Structure formats: structure tokens, C-alpha cells
Amino acid sequence: MHSPGTLEQARLDRAGGPAELTVGALDATERRRRLRGAGLAIRSGLFAFRLRSDLPQVAQAIDRLYADYPCLADTDFCDFALDVVRPGGLRQWLRPQVVARYDGEPVFEPLPAGHAFPLMEWALNYCVTTHAFEHLSLHAAVVERGGRAVILPAPPGSGKSTLCAALVHRGWRLLSDELTLVALADGRVSPVVRPVSLKNRSIEIISAFAPESEFCDPTHDTLKGTVAHMRAPAAHVHRMHEPALPAWVVFPRWEADAPATLSERPRPDTVLELGRNSFNLSVLGRAGFETLTALVNRCGCYDFRYGLLDDAMRVFDQLAAG
């Protein structure tokens, strides 16, 4: 049996192995054949996903957002197999729905058919958070510069994903928008590089702030409002096998017209709040708590308020320089 350290290293070696065929190198006919057949196998950081779907919106979003990702062969091992399909029966014709199945079992309740791609992304997050037990898994964005990572935990509506997307277009490397995976073996943060999920006004804000950013078509009327996913820059995808050392934990909060302000926060409060933002701390027990406290002890811990992204970028530049 592998220890957490050896399993982590084996996955890193696999992710950083010889150059692989990319999703975009396949022609559209072959991508759809795989999606509808044995599955389109995509590597994202430590994990490989085998995706199956006959829904055109899923195929179109993969074309636009996953073209730079390594594509595995039909016979290669994958950590997770996910089907995003229409349920059978009358639901195919009357108020059509879509369901996500992991290893054949439904992950969430069925959603309207037009929500297929966001559902796929949410289900992929579910797969990782419920099975990555060699890591402490936090609900937080994480970006890196100069080998040092800043973890951005926050509840919905705090501006976490907007800030993460802006930083990605101002010199910070994307490790993840939703999941911070801290290795139990050595405390490093393992990348899970996938598209950045933005909601409602954040889509327009990032489109204006970074005109070079690319999005899939927005999905309206989800439980989170309007959702669109931003493509991860190709250079960041190519480095998705490179972990980073955590250096800062910053709790962001967007407030209209607020000046960008970084203020220190107590470490005990940071431990408690990160614990609330963890998906698997209770499962990991002592190993998870020791990883969490070691993380906080090695990091600068801050609260961050901001109203304008340009001001926020200057504060984070100063943080990285200091």
C-alpha cells in the first residue's frame, strides 16, 4: 500500500511525465467520438478524468476551455469516470434534464439540460473533494508567484473567484479556483488547474479587466445565477504538475468603493475559519489537524477588503515583493 507521500509523488511524476497529446490536437470528430463512446480522458494536475456525454453544450465547452490539457488514450487509467447525460424516459422530451453520474451513480439531483457544463464542473469538484485523502482539501482559490502560494478562502459572494481570475491575468499562476489541496506528506499545495467559475457581474468585470480572457457561453438561471467559466491560460496548464509552498492565507471581501486594505488576523482564528472551509478535516482526523496548523504557522494570515481590482493588484504585488 502506498503512503500519502509516495502516492502524491507518483501522481506528480505521472502529471509531469513525457509530453502527451492535447485535447485540442484531436479533431472535433474524434473528440466527440470519444465523448460519446469510451470517454474523453483529460489530465488536470494530479488527477485524470474520463468524461462521457452526448450533449453538444458539453462538447462545445470542452473545445473552448480544455484544448490545452493532456489527453489520454482510451486504455489509460483514470482516477474518475464521470457521465453527464440525459436521464431516460419522458424527461428526454418533457422539460429535459441532465444528470451527472460518477462510476454509474448520480452525484447530484438532475438539473435542467442547459446546465450540463456547470454540472460537469461541480461534479468534478465533488470527485476530488470526496477522494483526495492524501491531501487536506480546502474550499479556497490558490495562486502562485515565485514558488510561493497565496490561499484565498471565502464564502460565496466574497469576490474570491473574481480576485483569483484577476490575479491570474496579472502575473500569478493559477493552481485552482475552488480547491486548495495541501499535501499531508510535505505541506505543499498541489495544483488542480481547471477553468475559473465566475458568476453574474463578475463575468463582465473580468471581461473588461482582462480583455484577453476567454469564456464559454454563459449558463443562466442556475442556483448561483448566471455562470460562465474562464479558460485557464495555456502556460498555467503546462505547469500543472508543479506544486507550490504556501506563504499566505488571505480572506478576501469585496465591498463597493472600499479602499484595498490588508490587515493581519490572528492565527487561532485562521485555523478555525480554514477548518470550517475544509471538505475533509473531520475524515483526516489528527493528520488533517496537524497539516492545517502547520499551514497556518508557516503563512502570513490576513483579511483583505477591496472595491477596485486595480488597487487589489497593487496590494498583491507588494505582498509578493515583500
Side-chain angles (χ1 to χ4, degrees):
M1 181 179 293
H2 291 291
S3 68
T6 58
L7 181 58
E8 166 80 0
Q9 191 57 53
R11 280 180 162 154
L12 284 174
D13 292 343
R14 184 181 67 178
E20 297 168 294
L21 182 73
T22 63
V23 173
L26 299 174
D27 64 41
T29 301
E30 176 62 12
R31 285 196 296 272
R32 279 149 183 75
R33 183 195 70 79
R34 295 193 185 193
L35 268 175
R36 293 174 178 174
L40 180 64
I42 299 174
R43 186 184 307 287
S44 172
L46 299 178
F47 305 102
F49 304 94
R50 191 173 302 280
L51 307 174
R52 286 187 288 262
S53 180
D54 61 355
L55 295 163
Q57 60 265 45
V58 171
Q60 291 163 8
I62 288 175
D63 290 348
R64 191 174 298 180
L65 301 179
Y66 280 93
D68 301 311
Y69 286 73
C71 180
L72 284 66
D74 289 349
T75 56
D76 285 341
F77 171 80
C78 286
D79 299 279
F80 307 108
L82 185 69
D83 300 309
V84 181
V85 295
R86 299 180 183 91
L90 292 177
R91 279 297 185 185
Q92 296 183 65
W93 317 108
L94 181 65
R95 298 178 65 184
Q97 292 183 324
V98 63
V99 64
R101 296 192 179 103
Y102 165 57
D103 281 352
E105 296 297 324
V107 176
F108 305 119
E109 292 295 319
L111 292 178
H115 298 181
F117 184 71
L119 176 62
M120 187 195 87
E121 288 291 321
W122 298 332
L124 290 177
N125 289 339
Y126 168 86
C127 289
V128 174
T129 57
T130 55
H131 293 83
F133 294 126
E134 65 273 21
H135 295 81
L136 175 66
S137 178
L138 304 173
H139 182 206
V142 57
V143 293
E144 171 269 336
R145 180 185 281 184
R148 297 183 296 170
V150 55
I151 297 170
L152 303 168
S158 62
K160 165 185 66 68
S161 293
T162 309
L163 181 60
C164 173
L167 290 167
V168 163
H169 287 287
R170 292 296 186 272
W172 292 77
R173 175 170 67 104
L174 176 67
L175 277 70
S176 178
D177 163 46
E178 288 287 342
L179 308 176
T180 296
L181 299 184
V182 185
L184 302 183
D186 59 13
R188 295 187 299 174
V189 177
S190 300
V192 190
V193 184
R194 299 224 319 279
V196 176
S197 175
L198 294 171
K199 299 176 287 293
N200 303 315
R201 285 193 63 244
S202 294
I203 302 167
E204 297 177 5
I205 290 170
I206 292 299
S207 295
F209 179 80
E212 70 276 18
S213 58
E214 299 180 53
F215 290 86
C216 67
D217 292 336
T219 302
H220 303 288
D221 300 322
T222 76
L223 293 175
K224 301 180 180 183
T226 297
V227 175
H229 286 79
M230 185 189 83
R231 180 171 179 165
H236 301 204
V237 174
H238 297 159
R239 296 179 60 194
M240 65 184 181
H241 60 284
E242 299 179 20
L245 287 171
W248 309 279
V249 178
V250 178
F251 290 81
R253 172 68 65 181
W254 179 85
E255 296 176 3
D257 302 321
T261 306
L262 195 69
S263 56
E264 290 191 31
R265 62 176 290 145
R267 294 184 190 278
D269 290 352
T270 301
V271 170
L272 290 174
E273 192 61 30
L274 284 179
R276 296 188 188 103
N277 280 270
S278 174
F279 293 104
N280 62 356
L281 180 61
S282 61
V283 176
L284 296 176
R286 179 174 178 175
F289 182 74
E290 290 176 348
T291 300
L292 175 59
T293 54
L295 167 71
V296 173
N297 284 334
R298 75 162 56 95
C299 288
C301 302
Y302 301 94
D303 287 309
F304 180 56
R305 299 292 180 267
Y306 74 101
L308 297 174
L309 285 175
D310 285 326
D311 293 342
M313 296 303 100
R314 284 191 285 271
V315 170
F316 275 79
D317 286 345
Q318 293 167 3
L319 190 68

